[in-house]
Amino acid sequence: MAHRAEKSGLSRDIQKKLEAKYNLEQEKQCRAWIEEVLGEQLSDQEVGMHNFANCLKDGQVLCRLLNTLNGEPMIKKINTQKMAFKQMENIEQFIKGCKVFGLKDGDIFQTADLYEVQNMSQVLLTLFAVGSVASKNGYDGPSIGAKIADANPREFTDEQLKQGETMIGLQMGSHKGASQSGMSMGKTRKIMD
């Protein structure tokens, strides 16, 4: 960003690693998914980390996306003003909405990651996580991200549990004819006096 001093030393190395993690294919998938869910084109159609950040920077697209995926408005007031703190407030509302929606803290980016283009790869991961959770929450529109598994609890009777205690698992080896006779492991050690 123009208003921040250029990073140096370790900070610059870390920033370069974060920028190297950015995946253009994931960005294209996210762009297509957002446009399909919202039914409108993003403002900047050029692919690239900074262009994608400009599309999402004001937070309005993210808030509308979360409201659409939820089915009912989760974020009541979306600021349309161009002031920086209002745009960051939209991003903050999106982040809070993601927590309510079901995302884990580790899946969610921080406001500076998007607004100051600090860690755009984390923004992409958040969007993929939002898509996964939306599918799990019952959204049947376009999806992105991995499908989250459903719980599959098993019920065993007491008789079945007792039968399981008497069996030797194959992880412990087979009990039929198990012996080490005839095995030779390398050469024998000869000690000379």
Side-chain angles (χ1 to χ4, degrees), residues 112-128:
D113 292 341
L114 172 59
Y115 195 80
E116 298 177 0
V117 194
Q118 294 293 313
N119 189 356
M120 284 300 291
S121 59
Q122 185 64 38
V123 174
L124 291 177
L125 291 175
T126 300
L127 291 172
F128 273 89

Side-chain angles (χ1 to χ4, degrees), residues 48-78:
M49 179 170 35
H50 293 284
N51 297 327
F52 192 50
N54 286 336
C55 294
L56 305 177
K57 186 176 181 175
D58 63 2
Q60 294 178 37
V61 170
L62 296 174
C63 291
R64 287 197 318 269
L65 177 70
L66 202 56
N67 284 344
T68 304
L69 294 173
N70 193 42
E72 59 185 48
M74 182 180 275
I75 300 168
K76 306 284 187 224
K77 184 175 183 250
I78 301 172

Side-chain angles (χ1 to χ4, degrees), residues 62-63 65-67 69-70 72-76 89-105 108-109 126 130 133 137:
L62 296 174
C63 291
L65 177 70
L66 202 56
N67 284 344
L69 294 173
N70 193 42
E72 59 185 48
M74 182 180 275
I75 300 168
K76 306 284 187 224
E89 194 174 286
N90 282 343
I91 296 170
E92 202 56 46
Q93 287 182 0
F94 171 76
I95 290 170
K96 287 177 185 171
C98 283
K99 290 177 184 175
V100 172
F101 196 57
L103 268 71
K104 297 178 182 140
D105 286 336
I108 303 173
F109 64 87
T126 300
V130 166
V133 172
N137 290 351

Side-chain angles (χ1 to χ4, degrees), residues 4-42:
R4 289 186 72 115
E6 188 176 325
K7 294 182 177 183
S8 62
L10 182 61
S11 296
R12 183 187 314 149
D13 293 342
I14 291 171
Q15 188 63 36
K16 283 183 180 180
K17 283 186 179 181
L18 289 175
E19 289 173 4
K21 283 174 50 176
Y22 190 77
N23 188 331
L24 288 175
E25 283 303 313
Q26 286 181 339
E27 179 196 327
K28 289 176 187 174
Q29 291 174 7
C30 284
R31 279 177 175 273
W33 176 66
I34 291 170
E35 289 174 352
E36 199 171 345
V37 169
L38 294 178
E40 61 188 59
Q41 297 251 326
L42 293 176

Side-chain angles (χ1 to χ4, degrees), residues 136-189:
K136 186 174 190 220
N137 290 351
Y139 179 73
D140 58 355
S143 65
I144 192 172
K147 182 182 183 300
I148 298 175
D150 296 325
N152 189 7
R154 292 172 172 81
E155 301 292 328
F156 294 105
T157 63
D158 288 334
E159 183 181 317
Q160 289 172 321
L161 291 172
K162 284 187 180 188
Q163 279 181 332
E165 291 173 4
T166 62
M167 297 183 72
I168 297 175
L170 290 177
Q171 291 176 331
M172 296 176 229
S174 175
H175 65 284
K176 296 183 173 131
S179 121
Q180 291 182 334
S181 64
M183 291 181 67
S184 60
M185 302 288 283
K187 293 185 176 183
T188 57
R189 184 172 175 198

